[in-house]
């Protein structure tokens, strides 16, 4: 069966969005609006898998929504909403908790990284996070999921869950009128561009993240010109006396590779062209990275300045943001409800 092409993705309101979220996911989200029906969610149920201050969470949900719109998501064309207002996500996640296998979840590297050494103290929600993510996507039978590279493994799990559900309930899926026995599609990851994994400015081996304690490790969409300039100026590089002369050499120098990748994504060029800027400016001094850092600062300020101003303007009217989320939730539920009703019939629940 050919499933209708539909895009779903989300971000957690666990702090202010950063350049990694913007370049890794948001740029694709914006582009996909031109060609697809898109559903973009503020995943607040995911956020509480680690402790969130309730007083700050509401504000963070509105800020992420404002950031979505300021970056270029159109609430008329796309569906924008927060996850907790559409209970179908949580309902389907429970069914998927019963479809997914412990062994599958045990392999998830994000849980291992986030739980760290204190595993026994991690929430159960953090452990079953990938089941909820599969439910987010499949509650809409979404076929395409634009994400950063770090979400690849979770997407593979969503595909496994879709397949196992189709296999386990094949007979009942057919009885429900799906002659080919396929109820859920296999959602495709959309991971493209020169910055699918933006790394920390302080450590080229760790991804840029909202929850990293050092604010110097990331550029936030809310950072002003001075903060952006300061963070890029202090961004870690290396002690090599010359710039890498080709992409192969660049790969072996993670911090430099990261800055070149970020510059390429912001300037809309290839990584090779961005490396060309580093090579061409390396003699300017005082450091071989001064020219690239200057160009990178200019590009970041040019791109993020207007976004920041628009977030501030939108946050002036929280009631309007709540209205957009309420409207988006209604439209999202109109798609998810009938899918969930069918899931209940297939699984064997009685419903009135
Ligand atoms: N560093 C990154 N580079 C590229 N893409 C990234 N994404 C996140 N960090 C990077 C992508 O942004 C989308 C939303 O991510 P999220 O908010 O759901 O959570 P996350 O992946 O766990 O991101 P953070 O910033 O690291 O949040 P915390 O610190 O709260 O866990 C996803 O598509 C993600 O791939």
């Amino acid at each position: 069966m050919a499933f209708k092409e539909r895009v779903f993705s989300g971000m957690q309101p666990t702090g202010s969005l950063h350049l990694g979220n913007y370049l890794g996911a948001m740029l694709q989200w914006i582009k996909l609006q031109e060609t697809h029906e898109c559903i973009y969610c503020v995943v607040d149920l995911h956020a509480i898998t680690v402790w969130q201050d309730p007083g700050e969470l509401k504000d963070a949900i509105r800020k992420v929504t404002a950031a979505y719109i300021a970056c270029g998501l159109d609430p008329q064309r796309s569906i924008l909403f927060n996850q907790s207002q559409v209970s179908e996500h949580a309902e389907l996640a429970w069914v998927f908790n019963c479809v997914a296998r412990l062994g599958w979840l045990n392999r998830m590297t994000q849980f291992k990284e986030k739980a760290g050494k204190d595993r026994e103290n991690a929430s159960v929600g953090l452990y079953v996070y990938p089941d909820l993510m599969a439910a987010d996507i499949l509650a809409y039978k979404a076929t395409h999921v634009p994400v950063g590279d770090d979400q690849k493994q979770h997407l593979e799990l969503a595909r496994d869950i879709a397949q196992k559900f189709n296999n386990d309930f094949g007979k009942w899926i057919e009885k429900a009128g799906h002659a080919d026995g396929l109820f859920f599609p296999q959602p495709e990851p959309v991971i493209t561009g020169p910055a699918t994994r933006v790394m920390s400015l302080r450590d080229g081996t760790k991804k840029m993240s909202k929850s990293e304690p050092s604010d110097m490790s990331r550029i936030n969409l809310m950072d002003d010109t001075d903060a952006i300039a300061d963070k890029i100026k202090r961004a870690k590089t290396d002690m090599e006396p010359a710039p890498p002369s080709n992409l192969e050499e660049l790969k072996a120098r993670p911090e430099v590779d990261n800055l070149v990748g970020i510059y390429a994504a912001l300037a809309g060029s290839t990584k090779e062209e961005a490396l060309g800027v580093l090579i061409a400016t390396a003699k300017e001094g005082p450091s071989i990275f001064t020219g690239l850092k200057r160009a990178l600062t200019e590009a970041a300020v040019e791109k993020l300045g207007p976004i920041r101003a628009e977030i501030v303007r939108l946050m002036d009217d929280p009631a309007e943001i709540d209205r957009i989320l309420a409207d988006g939730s209604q439209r999202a539920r109109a798609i998810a409800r009938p899918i969930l009703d069918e899931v209940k019939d297939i699984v064997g629940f009685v419903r009135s």
Side-chain angles (χ1 to χ4, degrees):
M1 165 182 168
F3 289 92
K4 176 181 170 10
E5 289 208 346
R6 183 177 281 151
V7 170
F8 178 93
S9 201
M11 294 194 191
Q12 299 185 74
T14 43
S16 173
L17 297 190
H18 53 71
L19 205 53
N21 301 130
Y22 180 71
L23 299 177
M26 182 58 77
L27 287 183
Q28 311 310 321
W29 293 17
I30 295 164
K31 225 188 272 167
L32 283 162
Q33 290 186 124
E34 304 296 328
T35 50
H36 286 74
E37 177 189 12
C38 296
I39 303 172
Y40 296 127
C41 186
V42 180
V43 290
D44 47 11
L45 296 178
H46 283 284
I48 62 163
T49 55
V50 294
W51 169 253
Q52 303 298 322
D53 182 287
E56 289 170 15
L57 185 57
K58 277 192 172 54
D59 189 54
I61 293 166
R62 292 184 181 122
K63 261 206 189 111
V64 171
T65 310
Y68 280 8
I69 299 166
C71 286
L73 298 186
D74 176 355
Q76 307 291 331
R77 197 191 303 186
S78 297
I79 296 179
L80 309 187
F81 72 107
N82 59 314
Q83 192 184 20
S84 61
Q85 293 210 64
V86 181
S87 57
E88 283 74 7
H89 290 243
E91 289 179 55
L92 186 58
W94 180 258
V95 175
F96 287 171
N97 281 342
C98 303
V99 171
R101 306 289 91 183
L102 271 182
W104 299 0
L105 289 170
N106 284 339
R107 285 196 285 277
M108 295 297 112
T109 53
Q110 183 172 293
F111 174 76
K112 289 179 194 159
E113 281 162 20
K114 287 203 168 177
K117 290 199 177 76
D118 200 9
R119 235 179 123 102
E120 295 290 307
N121 228 350
S123 75
V124 176
L126 189 64
Y127 187 71
V128 293
Y129 179 117
D131 293 349
L132 176 58
M133 181 164 154
D136 298 337
I137 299 162
L138 295 169
Y140 304 95
K141 296 193 177 183
T143 53
H144 292 80
V145 187
V147 283
D149 182 66
D150 58 309
Q151 291 299 325
K152 209 173 173 175
Q153 196 186 31
H154 287 166
L155 244 302
E156 278 159 17
L157 190 101
R159 292 166 64 88
D160 289 344
I161 288 175
Q163 190 169 356
K164 188 164 189 301
F165 183 93
N166 288 344
N167 290 345
D168 289 354
F169 297 101
K171 197 167 87 188
W172 292 276
I173 290 171
E174 278 176 39
K175 267 196 193 158
H178 304 275
D180 54 8
L182 293 180
F183 185 71
F184 286 122
Q186 289 274 291
E188 292 282 341
V190 182
I191 304 175
T192 52
T196 54
R197 183 181 283 259
V198 177
M199 309 309 276
S200 156
L201 298 180
R202 308 302 306 160
D203 179 351
T205 63
K206 270 188 176 167
K207 81 164 185 138
M208 187 177 283
S209 162
K210 291 185 225 95
S211 50
E212 159 63 42
S214 166
D215 195 53
M216 293 306 284
S217 68
R218 64 184 159 261
I219 294 173
N220 303 302
L221 300 190
M222 288 302 287
D223 283 344
D224 62 17
T225 304
D226 288 348
I228 293 172
D230 191 40
K231 287 176 179 181
I232 293 175
K233 192 169 157 206
R234 292 168 190 237
K236 193 170 165 214
T237 49
D238 60 30
M239 305 300 279
E240 296 290 329
S245 50
N246 55 50
L247 291 178
E248 213 39 50
E249 284 179 29
L250 180 65
K251 243 193 233 162
R253 295 169 65 175
E255 280 85 12
V256 186
D257 189 22
N258 190 36
L259 294 184
V260 168
I262 295 175
Y263 177 67
L266 284 172
S269 65
T270 63
K271 231 170 163 177
E272 206 157 15
E273 286 163 345
L275 177 59
V277 172
L278 169 59
I279 294 169
T281 56
K283 285 207 173 69
E284 283 177 17
S287 133
I288 57 170
F289 302 110
T290 306
L292 177 71
K293 285 187 168 184
R294 191 187 56 241
L296 177 52
T297 303
E298 282 167 14
V301 168
E302 191 186 319
K303 196 63 100 196
L304 302 186
I307 292 175
R308 175 173 176 270
E310 184 62 2
I311 296 173
V312 171
R313 191 188 71 76
L314 290 163
M315 282 302 285
D316 234 18
D317 189 356
E320 173 60 11
I321 294 179
D322 292 0
R323 196 200 57 73
I324 290 168
L325 291 173
D327 173 66
S329 302
Q330 263 185 18
R331 289 157 62 202
R333 194 174 306 113
I335 301 171
R337 192 68 251 166
I339 293 174
L340 252 295
D341 283 347
E342 266 202 282
V343 167
K344 288 182 178 177
D345 293 342
I346 289 166
V347 167
F349 296 154
V350 172
R351 76 186 166 88
S352 42

